[in-house]
């Protein structure tokens, strides 16, 4: 797929005004993404729609994760829950990074306490041939759910998302979660041609999935490269960056902000910015001002409170939050977030108080 072609094979919808709702377009979140002046620092949390909320656990009772992701009514309810409770400045579409793989027929399941498990890992070129293109019809429930959500959210932006090619490849090659990525790295080093073709195929699938979300009404997208921190910078530049850049190019014509995030990626921040995102997510290991120096000019930043701080009590949360805000004070665009996802046993009230604290302390 060429850089300027739509993942669906149709001409891209080029527009300078992709967000039709003026209140959404003028939201603090989208203004920060565009590095424009904001009335306060906007806040949202990765995994905000999830296991820390009792209302989430209640609606998910007896329903598997992948089944939950394919039910528009359930997706809508779960996505809205943290907006209602925490008054965050953006919703993130409730899904999982392996949903597009499931949609094209990969035999996988998300097992409680383990994560995604792939029945037949991708280890050979014949295995690669099983990964077909993703079409909008494969994920029609996504289009339906986002239509429902944008009607309910009003002036609150909706963030679409997808897993980045490297992280998806890691799950596919390993067959499930891994701490060492020995099989994925063995392919990357030992059969670089197969590795490049695998990531290129996943870039097309990922771009198609994001394209569906944007066309349905998502006003920003985030590419999660959760496991990219396992790579040395030279390996990332050579073996991963081209595929991530392809994803960002493929959706560039829509004009919505594109966010790029990974865990343990302090040494990769400049390269992740070079991949083409408008906003670079920062985990808790690098202060925001130092992250800005590493990324370079022309990018907004997102982050980066350590999620475990939320277990330390209000005084500690406020002190550590203020450190993040002070470090980000000189940035042209800053979106407050955690340095990774909300942990399941987090007190939801701590997130509500944190959102209010950031809004109050940064009010212009």
């Amino acid at each position: 797929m060429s850089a300027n072609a739509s993942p669906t094979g149709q001409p891209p919808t080029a527009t300078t005004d992709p967000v039709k709702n003026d209140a959404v377009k003028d939201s603090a979140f989208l203004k920060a993404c565009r590095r424009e002046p904001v009335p306060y620092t906007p806040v949202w949390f990765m995994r905000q729609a999830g296991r820390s909320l009792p209302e989430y656990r209640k609606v998910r009772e007896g329903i598997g994760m992948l089944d939950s992701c394919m039910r528009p009514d359930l997706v809508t309810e779960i996505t809205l829950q943290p907006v209602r409770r925490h008054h965050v400045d953006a919703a993130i579409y409730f899904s999982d990074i392996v949903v597009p793989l499931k949609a094209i027929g990969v035999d996988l399941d998300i097992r409680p306490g383990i994560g995604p498990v792939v029945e037949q890992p991708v280890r050979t070129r014949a295995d690669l041939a099983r990964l077909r293109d993703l079409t909008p019809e494969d994920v029609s429930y996504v289009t339906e759910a986002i239509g429902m959500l944008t009607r309910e959210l009003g002036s609150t932006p909706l963030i679409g998302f997808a897993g980045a090619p490297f992280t998806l490849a890691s799950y596919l090659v390993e067959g499930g979660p891994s701490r060492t990525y020995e099989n994925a790295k063995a392919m990357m080093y030992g059969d670089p041609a197969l590795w490049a073709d695998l990531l290129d195929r996943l870039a097309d699938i990922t771009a198609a999935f994001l394209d569906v979300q944007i066309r349905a009404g998502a006003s920003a997208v985030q590419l999660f490269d959760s496991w990219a921190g396992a790579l040395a910078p030279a390996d990332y530049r050579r073996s991963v960056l081209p595929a991530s850049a392809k994803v960002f190019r493929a959706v560039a014509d829509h004009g919505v902000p594109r966010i790029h995030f990974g865990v343990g990626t302090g040494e990769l921040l400049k390269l992740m910015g070079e991949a083409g995102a408008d906003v670079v997510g920062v985990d808790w290991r690098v202060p925001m001002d130092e992250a800005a120096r590493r990324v370079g000019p022309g990018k907004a930043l997102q982050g980066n409170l350590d999620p475990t701080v939320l277990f330390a009590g209000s005084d500690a949360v406020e002190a550590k939050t203020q450190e993040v805000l002070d470090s980000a004070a000189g940035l042209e665009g800053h979106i407050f977030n955690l340095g990774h996802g909300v942990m399941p046993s987090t007190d939801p009230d701590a997130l509500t108080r944190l959102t209010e604290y950031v809004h109050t302390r940064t009010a212009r």
Side-chain angles (χ1 to χ4, degrees), residues 54-70:
E55 57 264 43
Y56 167 81
R57 293 192 293 271
K58 183 176 180 180
V59 299
R60 276 281 321 279
E61 281 181 1
I63 305 173
M65 179 62 182
L66 286 173
D67 289 338
S68 300
C69 296
M70 297 176 188

PDB file of all heavy atoms in Angstrom, residues 54-70:
ATOM      1  N   PRO A  54     -15.756  -0.343  39.313  1.00  0.00           N
ATOM      2  CA  PRO A  54     -16.734  -1.373  39.672  1.00  0.00           C
ATOM      3  C   PRO A  54     -17.858  -1.495  38.651  1.00  0.00           C
ATOM      4  O   PRO A  54     -18.366  -2.594  38.410  1.00  0.00           O
ATOM      5  CB  PRO A  54     -17.245  -0.923  41.044  1.00  0.00           C
ATOM      6  CG  PRO A  54     -16.876   0.516  41.158  1.00  0.00           C
ATOM      7  CD  PRO A  54     -15.642   0.697  40.341  1.00  0.00           C
ATOM      8  N   GLU A  55     -18.253  -0.373  38.046  1.00  0.00           N
ATOM      9  CA  GLU A  55     -19.308  -0.432  37.037  1.00  0.00           C
ATOM     10  C   GLU A  55     -18.852  -1.184  35.796  1.00  0.00           C
ATOM     11  O   GLU A  55     -19.663  -1.826  35.113  1.00  0.00           O
ATOM     12  CB  GLU A  55     -19.816   0.977  36.692  1.00  0.00           C
ATOM     13  CG  GLU A  55     -18.756   1.951  36.204  1.00  0.00           C
ATOM     14  CD  GLU A  55     -18.202   2.834  37.317  1.00  0.00           C
ATOM     15  OE1 GLU A  55     -17.943   2.318  38.422  1.00  0.00           O
ATOM     16  OE2 GLU A  55     -18.013   4.042  37.064  1.00  0.00           O
ATOM     17  N   TYR A  56     -17.551  -1.128  35.511  1.00  0.00           N
ATOM     18  CA  TYR A  56     -16.999  -1.915  34.400  1.00  0.00           C
ATOM     19  C   TYR A  56     -17.069  -3.401  34.722  1.00  0.00           C
ATOM     20  O   TYR A  56     -17.524  -4.209  33.907  1.00  0.00           O
ATOM     21  CB  TYR A  56     -15.548  -1.498  34.145  1.00  0.00           C
ATOM     22  CG  TYR A  56     -14.782  -2.452  33.243  1.00  0.00           C
ATOM     23  CD1 TYR A  56     -14.911  -2.386  31.861  1.00  0.00           C
ATOM     24  CD2 TYR A  56     -13.923  -3.411  33.784  1.00  0.00           C
ATOM     25  CE1 TYR A  56     -14.215  -3.260  31.039  1.00  0.00           C
ATOM     26  CE2 TYR A  56     -13.228  -4.281  32.971  1.00  0.00           C
ATOM     27  CZ  TYR A  56     -13.373  -4.201  31.595  1.00  0.00           C
ATOM     28  OH  TYR A  56     -12.692  -5.064  30.789  1.00  0.00           O
ATOM     29  N   ARG A  57     -16.636  -3.767  35.896  1.00  0.00           N
ATOM     30  CA  ARG A  57     -16.664  -5.182  36.268  1.00  0.00           C
ATOM     31  C   ARG A  57     -18.088  -5.726  36.269  1.00  0.00           C
ATOM     32  O   ARG A  57     -18.323  -6.873  35.877  1.00  0.00           O
ATOM     33  CB  ARG A  57     -16.009  -5.362  37.650  1.00  0.00           C
ATOM     34  CG  ARG A  57     -14.515  -5.060  37.654  1.00  0.00           C
ATOM     35  CD  ARG A  57     -13.852  -5.522  38.926  1.00  0.00           C
ATOM     36  NE  ARG A  57     -14.288  -4.767  40.093  1.00  0.00           N
ATOM     37  CZ  ARG A  57     -13.700  -3.644  40.524  1.00  0.00           C
ATOM     38  NH1 ARG A  57     -12.659  -3.151  39.864  1.00  0.00           N
ATOM     39  NH2 ARG A  57     -14.146  -3.020  41.610  1.00  0.00           N
ATOM     40  N   LYS A  58     -19.034  -4.886  36.645  1.00  0.00           N
ATOM     41  CA  LYS A  58     -20.431  -5.337  36.673  1.00  0.00           C
ATOM     42  C   LYS A  58     -20.958  -5.629  35.279  1.00  0.00           C
ATOM     43  O   LYS A  58     -21.565  -6.689  35.050  1.00  0.00           O
ATOM     44  CB  LYS A  58     -21.300  -4.275  37.351  1.00  0.00           C
ATOM     45  CG  LYS A  58     -22.758  -4.682  37.487  1.00  0.00           C
ATOM     46  CD  LYS A  58     -23.558  -3.639  38.251  1.00  0.00           C
ATOM     47  CE  LYS A  58     -25.017  -4.058  38.387  1.00  0.00           C
ATOM     48  NZ  LYS A  58     -25.811  -3.045  39.142  1.00  0.00           N
ATOM     49  N   VAL A  59     -20.719  -4.723  34.315  1.00  0.00           N
ATOM     50  CA  VAL A  59     -21.264  -4.947  32.963  1.00  0.00           C
ATOM     51  C   VAL A  59     -20.503  -6.034  32.213  1.00  0.00           C
ATOM     52  O   VAL A  59     -21.023  -6.605  31.253  1.00  0.00           O
ATOM     53  CB  VAL A  59     -21.286  -3.646  32.129  1.00  0.00           C
ATOM     54  CG1 VAL A  59     -22.158  -2.600  32.792  1.00  0.00           C
ATOM     55  CG2 VAL A  59     -19.878  -3.108  31.879  1.00  0.00           C
ATOM     56  N   ARG A  60     -19.272  -6.345  32.663  1.00  0.00           N
ATOM     57  CA  ARG A  60     -18.487  -7.387  32.000  1.00  0.00           C
ATOM     58  C   ARG A  60     -18.717  -8.770  32.601  1.00  0.00           C
ATOM     59  O   ARG A  60     -18.156  -9.749  32.097  1.00  0.00           O
ATOM     60  CB  ARG A  60     -16.987  -7.061  32.124  1.00  0.00           C
ATOM     61  CG  ARG A  60     -16.402  -6.098  31.098  1.00  0.00           C
ATOM     62  CD  ARG A  60     -16.112  -6.748  29.746  1.00  0.00           C
ATOM     63  NE  ARG A  60     -15.573  -8.078  29.834  1.00  0.00           N
ATOM     64  CZ  ARG A  60     -14.285  -8.364  30.069  1.00  0.00           C
ATOM     65  NH1 ARG A  60     -13.411  -7.396  30.234  1.00  0.00           N
ATOM     66  NH2 ARG A  60     -13.880  -9.616  30.124  1.00  0.00           N
ATOM     67  N   GLU A  61     -19.508  -8.892  33.653  1.00  0.00           N
ATOM     68  CA  GLU A  61     -19.693 -10.176  34.318  1.00  0.00           C
ATOM     69  C   GLU A  61     -20.144 -11.245  33.331  1.00  0.00           C
ATOM     70  O   GLU A  61     -21.161 -11.089  32.645  1.00  0.00           O
ATOM     71  CB  GLU A  61     -20.724 -10.053  35.450  1.00  0.00           C
ATOM     72  CG  GLU A  61     -20.178  -9.445  36.714  1.00  0.00           C
ATOM     73  CD  GLU A  61     -21.240  -9.363  37.804  1.00  0.00           C
ATOM     74  OE1 GLU A  61     -22.381  -9.794  37.554  1.00  0.00           O
ATOM     75  OE2 GLU A  61     -20.929  -8.853  38.896  1.00  0.00           O
ATOM     76  N   GLY A  62     -19.349 -12.323  33.247  1.00  0.00           N
ATOM     77  CA  GLY A  62     -19.715 -13.447  32.406  1.00  0.00           C
ATOM     78  C   GLY A  62     -19.486 -13.235  30.921  1.00  0.00           C
ATOM     79  O   GLY A  62     -19.864 -14.086  30.104  1.00  0.00           O
ATOM     80  N   ILE A  63     -18.864 -12.133  30.536  1.00  0.00           N
ATOM     81  CA  ILE A  63     -18.650 -11.831  29.118  1.00  0.00           C
ATOM     82  C   ILE A  63     -17.154 -11.762  28.856  1.00  0.00           C
ATOM     83  O   ILE A  63     -16.436 -11.000  29.513  1.00  0.00           O
ATOM     84  CB  ILE A  63     -19.309 -10.487  28.720  1.00  0.00           C
ATOM     85  CG1 ILE A  63     -20.800 -10.496  29.078  1.00  0.00           C
ATOM     86  CG2 ILE A  63     -19.134 -10.236  27.219  1.00  0.00           C
ATOM     87  CD1 ILE A  63     -21.470  -9.149  28.877  1.00  0.00           C
ATOM     88  N   GLY A  64     -16.655 -12.556  27.916  1.00  0.00           N
ATOM     89  CA  GLY A  64     -15.240 -12.573  27.580  1.00  0.00           C
ATOM     90  C   GLY A  64     -14.775 -11.245  27.006  1.00  0.00           C
ATOM     91  O   GLY A  64     -15.571 -10.471  26.467  1.00  0.00           O
ATOM     92  N   MET A  65     -13.477 -10.985  27.107  1.00  0.00           N
ATOM     93  CA  MET A  65     -12.934  -9.704  26.660  1.00  0.00           C
ATOM     94  C   MET A  65     -13.207  -9.472  25.176  1.00  0.00           C
ATOM     95  O   MET A  65     -13.698  -8.409  24.777  1.00  0.00           O
ATOM     96  CB  MET A  65     -11.424  -9.658  26.941  1.00  0.00           C
ATOM     97  CG  MET A  65     -10.763  -8.372  26.486  1.00  0.00           C
ATOM     98  SD  MET A  65     -11.414  -6.909  27.319  1.00  0.00           S
ATOM     99  CE  MET A  65     -10.474  -5.614  26.499  1.00  0.00           C
ATOM    100  N   LEU A  66     -12.886 -10.441  24.329  1.00  0.00           N
ATOM    101  CA  LEU A  66     -13.078 -10.234  22.895  1.00  0.00           C
ATOM    102  C   LEU A  66     -14.552 -10.090  22.549  1.00  0.00           C
ATOM    103  O   LEU A  66     -14.917  -9.283  21.677  1.00  0.00           O
ATOM    104  CB  LEU A  66     -12.443 -11.376  22.107  1.00  0.00           C
ATOM    105  CG  LEU A  66     -10.909 -11.341  22.046  1.00  0.00           C
ATOM    106  CD1 LEU A  66     -10.366 -12.606  21.404  1.00  0.00           C
ATOM    107  CD2 LEU A  66     -10.422 -10.104  21.282  1.00  0.00           C
ATOM    108  N   ASP A  67     -15.407 -10.842  23.219  1.00  0.00           N
ATOM    109  CA  ASP A  67     -16.847 -10.682  22.990  1.00  0.00           C
ATOM    110  C   ASP A  67     -17.298  -9.286  23.395  1.00  0.00           C
ATOM    111  O   ASP A  67     -18.129  -8.664  22.714  1.00  0.00           O
ATOM    112  CB  ASP A  67     -17.628 -11.728  23.788  1.00  0.00           C
ATOM    113  CG  ASP A  67     -17.467 -13.138  23.229  1.00  0.00           C
ATOM    114  OD1 ASP A  67     -17.130 -13.265  22.033  1.00  0.00           O
ATOM    115  OD2 ASP A  67     -17.672 -14.096  23.998  1.00  0.00           O
ATOM    116  N   SER A  68     -16.747  -8.768  24.485  1.00  0.00           N
ATOM    117  CA  SER A  68     -17.087  -7.414  24.920  1.00  0.00           C
ATOM    118  C   SER A  68     -16.721  -6.382  23.859  1.00  0.00           C
ATOM    119  O   SER A  68     -17.445  -5.405  23.640  1.00  0.00           O
ATOM    120  CB  SER A  68     -16.356  -7.082  26.225  1.00  0.00           C
ATOM    121  OG  SER A  68     -16.698  -7.969  27.255  1.00  0.00           O
ATOM    122  N   CYS A  69     -15.578  -6.595  23.202  1.00  0.00           N
ATOM    123  CA  CYS A  69     -15.093  -5.647  22.198  1.00  0.00           C
ATOM    124  C   CYS A  69     -15.928  -5.657  20.925  1.00  0.00           C
ATOM    125  O   CYS A  69     -15.808  -4.750  20.092  1.00  0.00           O
ATOM    126  CB  CYS A  69     -13.643  -5.957  21.839  1.00  0.00           C
ATOM    127  SG  CYS A  69     -12.472  -5.747  23.198  1.00  0.00           S
ATOM    128  N   MET A  70     -16.758  -6.680  20.747  1.00  0.00           N
ATOM    129  CA  MET A  70     -17.537  -6.817  19.517  1.00  0.00           C
ATOM    130  C   MET A  70     -19.006  -6.477  19.713  1.00  0.00           C
ATOM    131  O   MET A  70     -19.795  -6.645  18.788  1.00  0.00           O
ATOM    132  CB  MET A  70     -17.384  -8.248  18.983  1.00  0.00           C
ATOM    133  CG  MET A  70     -15.962  -8.592  18.601  1.00  0.00           C
ATOM    134  SD  MET A  70     -15.780 -10.318  18.094  1.00  0.00           S
ATOM    135  CE  MET A  70     -13.989 -10.449  17.966  1.00  0.00           C
TER     136      MET A  70
END
